[in-house]
Structures are given as structure tokens and as C-alpha cells.
Amino acid sequence: MARYMEQVKNGCGPRERLLGEGAHVLSDQDLLAVVLGSGHQGCGVFALAQRVLGVLEESQFRATPQELMSVSGVGPAKATLLAAAVEFCRRVLAPRNYRIRHPSDAVPLLQHYADRRQEHFLAISLNGAHEVNAVRIVSVGLVNRTLVHPREVFADALQDRAAAIIVAHNHPSGNTDPSAEDRAVTRTLTEAGDILGIRLLDHIVFSSQGYYSFRENDEL
């Protein structure tokens, strides 16, 4: 709420920024705040947008209107608006047939997670031509071998009949240098992919400042 009031005071709320600079400059939370339009008593629109974003991410952006209405402050009108907007975007802008030729090609699919305060571990499922099947959140929290288990990473890729995957996670600190745990996770997933016949093409560590590709740095 304080953030919203400060932006309004300075004449730079999300609506104003969208009009002046374009939608691409807004964070996911800002975009949801614009769609929601308002919060409710005791909960500002930014706080409400953050709660809605959590429900959407947990459902891999397939939350039903009923699930969205489980968030206090989201009634039938807001829930149906959100569900319709998400479905429209999935139909029109889904990254299917988007081909990954170089690590940098994957970055636009990931970049909107760069401003998250927690680490988000993502998996991009690819067909034999390295075209995108789907981009999914595997886990939220510190990247380690407990949370990022091959079972969770490859489960959806197997259903997709994927030929390869790219995994990625954001570093909220802004530093894209991989940690020892990042390298350990990469080794584990590489070995699992070899067994399953689904090649791990790359592990990308990214932030709003840039990215680090294990493939580009000859670590895969």
C-alpha cells in the first residue's frame, strides 16, 4: 500500500507508467494491479495483486475463478476478468513453436521473473526441433537439491514427450554468478536427463542485470 501511495503521489502509478512508457516496463505485480483496478478495505491493490500472483503461479497460471475468489478481496467480477485475461494471453501469446537456437533466445521467456524477491526455478520444455512446449515454475525458494529434485523437473517434460529442457532460476541479489549448489543441481539434472533421454541443454542464472549460461561458459 505504501508503495502504491508513493507512486500515486509522484504521479507514476502503474497506469501512468503504462501510458507513458509502455506495458513492458511494469512488473507482473504492477500489471495485475492495473487489471484489478483497486484493492479492498484493509488491503491495497498492490498487496492484493501480490496475493493473486501467488495463486496464479501455484496453479501454473491455470487457476479457476473459484480458486481466484479464495483470495480475500477478489469477487466474481475480478475473478472472471483475471481468468479471461490469462486464458486470452495463453491462446494468443503462448510460446509454442518459439525456437531456442542460443541461450539468449530463452531469456525473454524468463525475464519477467527477474524482479521476484524469492528464487524461482523454471523449466522450459522443448521438442526435437528445440521449439518451446511450455515454460513452467518447478519450485519457489532457495535452489538446492532438496527442492529441485529431478522428479519435479522432468515430470511435465515426460508428459510433453520433450526431447530436451532448459532450466533457469533468478538471483534476487542481482549477482548472476552460479553458486556451488547451482552447479551441484546442474550435475544432478544432467545425469537424470541422460538416463531419461531428455537432454539438459542449459542452466541459466538470471537477474534484471543480465544472465549466466552454463552452456555458454562450457559448463555443460
Side-chain angles (χ1 to χ4, degrees):
M1 183 63 178
R3 175 188 171 199
Y4 177 71
M5 292 305 295
E6 183 64 24
Q7 288 190 347
V8 170
K9 179 181 177 182
N10 296 330
C12 59
R15 289 179 179 175
E16 290 78 12
R17 292 183 63 211
L18 191 153
L19 286 170
E21 303 174 60
H24 67 281
V25 305
L26 301 184
S27 68
D28 291 355
Q29 186 179 352
D30 289 336
L31 290 169
L32 274 177
V34 173
V35 174
L36 289 166
S38 63
H40 68 105
Q41 188 174 7
C43 180
V45 68
F46 275 102
L48 182 60
Q50 185 61 43
R51 294 174 188 174
V52 169
L53 185 58
V55 172
L56 288 172
E57 288 186 341
E58 187 175 351
S59 68
Q60 299 288 353
F61 290 89
R62 294 187 179 276
T64 64
Q66 290 72 26
E67 289 171 329
L68 291 166
M69 284 190 288
S70 69
V71 179
S72 178
V74 177
K78 281 185 169 67
T80 52
L81 176 63
L82 287 164
V86 170
E87 181 59 26
F88 177 79
C89 291
R90 180 167 26 254
R91 293 180 185 184
V92 177
L93 301 175
R96 286 183 178 275
N97 301 322
Y98 179 86
R99 190 174 182 185
I100 304 293
R101 294 178 174 84
H102 308 285
S104 58
D105 294 335
V107 175
L109 304 177
L110 310 167
Q111 200 60 43
H112 64 108
Y113 290 99
D115 64 346
R116 302 302 167 85
R117 295 179 182 178
Q118 286 183 290
E119 291 188 7
H120 283 58
F121 193 90
L122 309 157
I124 303 175
S125 170
L126 304 167
N127 64 20
H130 293 174
E131 295 171 337
V132 175
N133 292 324
V135 182
R136 299 183 176 96
I137 300 170
V138 176
S139 68
V140 178
L142 292 176
V143 172
N144 57 58
R145 282 168 288 184
T146 302
L147 285 176
V148 185
H149 192 280
R151 176 179 58 247
E152 309 300 330
V153 174
F154 288 99
D156 288 315
L158 285 167
Q159 289 189 348
D160 293 340
R161 299 184 181 276
I165 64 169
I166 293 171
V167 298
H169 73 280
N170 63 309
H171 273 185
S173 67
N175 179 8
T176 58
D177 292 337
S179 66
E181 193 68 51
D182 294 339
R183 290 189 165 88
V185 167
T186 304
R187 287 193 297 271
T188 299
L189 295 180
T190 300
E191 293 168 2
D194 289 342
I195 293 170
L196 293 170
I198 300 177
R199 185 183 177 195
L200 178 66
L201 289 183
D202 205 349
H203 184 176
I204 297 172
V205 183
F206 64 98
S207 73
S208 56
Q209 280 76 51
Y211 73 92
Y212 181 97
S213 160
F214 277 68
R215 174 69 57 187
E216 286 182 345
N217 286 277
D218 296 321
E219 293 196 62
L220 266 178

